[in-house]
Amino acid sequence: MKMYKREEHKSKLLFAGIDLHRHRWHVTMRTEEGELFSGSILGQWKVLQRLFDRYPGYQIQAVYEAGYFGFWLHDLIVEYGARCVVTPPSLMPVEYGNRVKTDRRDSRKLAHLLSKGLLKAVWVPTDEERSQRQVIRRRRQLIGDRVRTQNRIKAELQFFGIEIPAPTGQWSKAYVANLHRLHLRDRWVQESFHRLLEQYDFLSELIRTQTKVLQQLAELAQYKERVAILRTVPGIGLIAAMELLLELQDVARFRRADQLAAYVGLTPSQYSSADKIRMGRITAIGKNHLRGTLVEVAWRLIGKDRAMRRKYERIKVRSGSKRAIVAIARMTLLRTRRMLLEGTPYVMGRAA
């Protein structure tokens, strides 16, 4: 995450704060001196472009919040010749005591903060990177859908008093086969239950197909060598390696290791009072799923690398098991960064 710094231009600067909704966008246009326009427009690029066209001779700088709209609007604004900042809502400066939130206020606030250079900007991946990243994200969504179906199946069994202990994590083929062989109280319950099983089977097949797409992506020249390097880490397989690469892309864009840790959300929060500094839990701002993957990798890693296990045990005595495994996950992330930058494999027995 980087802080956006307002650039000075010889031409006059015009700042556009855009509060996005599906059908209507509220836009505020202002200079450093004051507001020129604030109003609602139809949520279409061509309408926003016509608004920009009203101000010839200005160097336009626009901002909107990251989220539902992705980056296609950013691309169109940049193609138009303006500068665009996509800012994370979680890091927006908050005015103490102001709990009034409207579209007009939000767009005005965005434009004002942009004019002062007080906004942080998210990294905007290329169009190709976005397309490829969607492969791992679609697989993750399908797994989430299957987990919800598993929960419905378990709830259905509980509702009718049928006790079949479900395995933790992914269900085995034998367990699913047993579910298919169940005979419930009557035809209506049986038919309805089978719809859930069919949904589970269908999602499992979609996940297998999407995994094959991910494997094909991993064979591309831009990923193949880096995947091989990452897979030398005990606990990192093809899927975890591709998640790291697709979500982070080129780690060289993080000039310091702590920037990468902050981006993923593995930086401890800090509380300062007078001359005392206390380190708290991780900020948890960033890539939630990637952070979860790294924690899973860390658990597998400490079971295979004795040096990392000893490191975990030392931290555990001082701070508890949860903070210890998160610390190992952070070390693993920073170590993979160094491996990718240097093109070197993982070395067992080295705890840093």
Side-chain angles (χ1 to χ4, degrees), residues 6 17 134 206 265 267 331:
R6 182 171 58 81
Q134 206 62 20
L206 289 180
T267 299
M331 291 178 205

Side-chain angles (χ1 to χ4, degrees), residues 147-190:
V147 168
R148 282 186 284 275
T149 300
Q150 287 176 294
N151 291 336
R152 291 191 186 108
I153 291 171
K154 288 187 286 187
E156 187 95 345
L157 294 173
Q158 184 68 34
F159 185 79
F160 289 105
I162 301 171
E163 294 186 10
I164 302 182
T168 57
Q170 188 172 339
W171 289 354
S172 65
K173 290 181 180 179
Y175 180 78
V176 176
N178 286 335
L179 292 178
H180 277 281
R181 285 193 290 266
L182 274 178
H183 293 288
L184 303 183
R185 63 196 322 175
D186 57 39
R187 173 194 168 188
W188 316 114
V189 175
Q190 188 81 32

